[in-house]
Amino acid sequence: MAIEGKDEQAREPRIRLGMVGGGAGAFIGAVHRMAARLDDQFDLVAGALSSTPEKAIASGRDLGLDPARTYGSYKEMAIREARLKNGIEAVSIVTPNHVHYEAAKEFLRRGIHVICDKPLTSNLTDAKKLKKVADESDALFILTHNYTGYPMVRQAREMIANGDLGKIRVVQVEYPQDWLTEAVEQTGAKQAVWRTDPAQSGVGGSTGDIGTHAYNLASFITGLTLESLAADLDSFVEGRRLDDNAHVLLRFEGGAKGMLWCSQVAPGHENGLKIRVYGTKGGIEWVQADPNYLWFTPFGEPKRLITRNGAGAGAAAARVSRIPSGHPEGYLEAFATIYTEAAHAINAKKKGAKLDKGVIYPTVDDGVKGVAFVEACVASSKKNGAWVKV
């Protein structure tokens, strides 16, 4: 975070963190652990790292966890840690989607803050039930839509809120990848197997995995509320049960229109998240592969490049920047921003203090919207691309 914010928070004791999932062979668990430690706000002290007790114990040993606090199940961990004098204060849930609801419920009901990977759940029914549990709990719920943590994404959001683009007319967002171009799930590749399995992932494939990121980013930056959509989903790889490509038309409240494309069968794209927003006074463009730069074009004027911590960058971007301009700051740092925003919120809650209005993180409400987006896409596509209310 910005130097002054980081120093202020560094004086707080580290938050005792547990983790559900993220054991051997898991990708996103390691990312969460790095993000949690980057700004020195959390200390991983417990875990239920696998659905198999033997793997959970082995993974805990590899991470140097106390064997007495390495658990065979998340329910066992929630019960015991809630009773310990120095039990965990927060938990990261980094499992496949179908586990999110039950795991989060166990910790929220015991007053333990939850930091959960996206999408919120594998279906809208569970998403709404989880929102009810979160609303009734005294604990916080943070959803790790990590792309909202990039400084220039915060810059774009601030500019739109300030009216620099005028009334928003058009939003175009895309998120293409190529790693599922072939049926790699049939080779037993762990990350592909669960993401293409409806029982674990839910009804959305690319829409749930990366489409939710694109949709969340568009909503976060513009502040617009989605009203309805028309979607055309495909499973191009033979035998694949979930979509691997989606074209979605968007209608927002207030009249703005949008287009969203997500694909995991687009050769040449490793992680091509990009967003463009156009209003009556100008337009902006941000590309995740080159995240320290934001293009801004006031109508009728030359295109302008705004750099992270450079001339023209505002307070919202500076607040979540760690290093001077000209030094790349990327994916892990953006992920860490969500964790540090969570730490700000958790520490403020512990002290009964008012939370700084600059602290922003995705909530359970954002998660419900994301799952509703996926299910609306599937419903629309089944109706040959008919418009569906979200």
Side-chain angles (χ1 to χ4, degrees):
M1 307 293 280
I3 297 299
E4 61 271 18
K6 183 177 178 181
D7 287 346
E8 179 183 345
Q9 286 299 313
R11 291 193 292 270
E12 299 285 350
R14 289 179 188 151
I15 295 164
R16 298 184 299 278
L17 181 68
M19 180 167 279
V20 176
F27 158 69
I28 205 65
V31 172
H32 277 257
R33 289 190 291 272
M34 286 185 277
R37 289 291 295 138
L38 187 60
D39 291 330
D40 205 26
Q41 302 299 314
F42 294 87
D43 192 9
L44 183 65
V45 297
L49 302 168
S50 175
S51 57
T52 305
E54 295 78 11
K55 289 183 180 178
I57 292 169
S59 296
R61 182 174 59 246
D62 290 344
L63 292 174
L65 293 181
D66 181 347
R69 299 180 74 178
T70 301
Y71 301 92
S73 72
Y74 59 76
K75 186 167 186 177
E76 179 190 0
M77 181 167 84
I79 293 171
R80 185 165 185 270
E81 289 292 325
R83 293 172 179 170
L84 291 177
K85 181 179 179 182
N86 289 313
I88 59 171
E89 301 167 273
V91 65
S92 294
I93 298 176
V94 294
T95 64
N97 309 341
H98 70 296
V99 180
H100 292 180
Y101 167 59
E102 291 293 344
K105 180 176 67 173
E106 292 294 336
F107 292 94
L108 288 170
R109 286 182 170 174
R110 292 172 173 83
I112 296 170
H113 307 293
V114 171
I115 303 170
C116 185
D117 203 42
K118 63 81 228 163
L120 182 65
T121 57
S122 60
N123 61 75
L124 189 55
T125 298
D126 282 352
K128 290 178 177 179
K129 288 193 293 186
L130 183 51
K131 173 178 164 51
K132 186 175 186 295
V133 175
D135 288 346
E136 292 173 352
S137 173
D138 192 46
L140 300 172
F141 187 98
I142 296 93
L143 191 68
T144 55
H145 273 299
N146 55 293
Y147 298 110
T148 65
Y150 278 102
M152 301 317 288
V153 166
R154 301 289 178 99
Q155 172 74 23
R157 175 187 169 99
E158 183 178 51
M159 291 173 66
I160 290 174
N162 288 342
D164 293 351
L165 272 64
K167 180 177 173 61
I168 302 304
R169 290 171 167 168
V170 178
V171 183
Q172 292 190 308
V173 60
E174 63 183 57
Y175 199 157
Q177 298 175 335
D178 65 5
W179 72 290
L180 292 178
T181 296
E182 297 179 336
V184 293
E185 63 268 30
Q186 294 179 15
T187 70
K190 182 176 180 178
Q191 299 305 316
V193 168
W194 78 259
R195 282 178 169 83
T196 56
D197 178 6
Q200 298 183 74
S201 187
V203 295
S206 66
T207 48
D209 194 27
I210 56 178
T212 48
H213 269 311
Y215 166 58
N216 176 262
L217 184 68
S219 300
F220 181 82
I221 286 178
T222 65
L224 296 173
T225 298
L226 184 61
E227 183 178 79
S228 58
L229 59 79
D232 185 18
L233 276 54
D234 286 288
S235 301
F236 281 115
V237 174
E238 186 176 354
R240 184 165 287 162
R241 291 176 290 170
L242 296 175
D243 63 89
D244 50 28
N245 188 90
H247 297 91
V248 189
L249 293 176
L250 308 170
R251 289 175 178 169
F252 296 97
E253 291 181 4
K257 301 294 179 68
M259 295 173 61
L260 183 152
W261 171 48
C262 63
S263 180
Q264 293 175 312
V265 293
H269 289 284
E270 295 172 333
N271 209 65
L273 179 60
K274 176 192 294 186
I275 185 167
R276 292 171 287 178
V277 183
Y278 306 99
T280 55
K281 294 166 59 177
I284 56 171
E285 180 176 350
W286 180 79
V287 180
Q288 197 268 158
D290 202 9
N292 291 272
Y293 303 98
L294 177 71
W295 286 103
F296 170 48
T297 308
F299 178 65
E301 298 183 23
K303 201 172 187 178
R304 303 173 185 175
L305 181 63
I306 303 173
T307 65
R308 185 191 54 76
N309 272 348
R319 193 187 150 272
V320 294
S321 295
R322 295 166 179 80
I323 53 180
S325 58
H327 298 78
E329 201 171 324
Y331 177 78
L332 289 176
E333 291 88 347
F335 222 116
T337 291
I338 304 303
Y339 267 87
T340 300
E341 297 283 56
H344 284 304
I346 291 169
N347 284 324
K349 194 168 186 63
K350 283 197 293 186
K351 295 184 292 186
K354 186 176 181 180
L355 185 63
D356 187 314
K357 65 180 182 180
V359 174
I360 306 170
Y361 56 82
T363 67
V364 70
D365 293 301
D366 297 305
V368 172
K369 291 175 184 177
V371 180
F373 164 80
V374 174
E375 295 204 357
C377 285
V378 173
S380 171
S381 190
K382 286 180 177 179
K383 297 176 182 178
N384 200 29
W387 285 96
V388 171
K389 292 282 186 182
V390 180

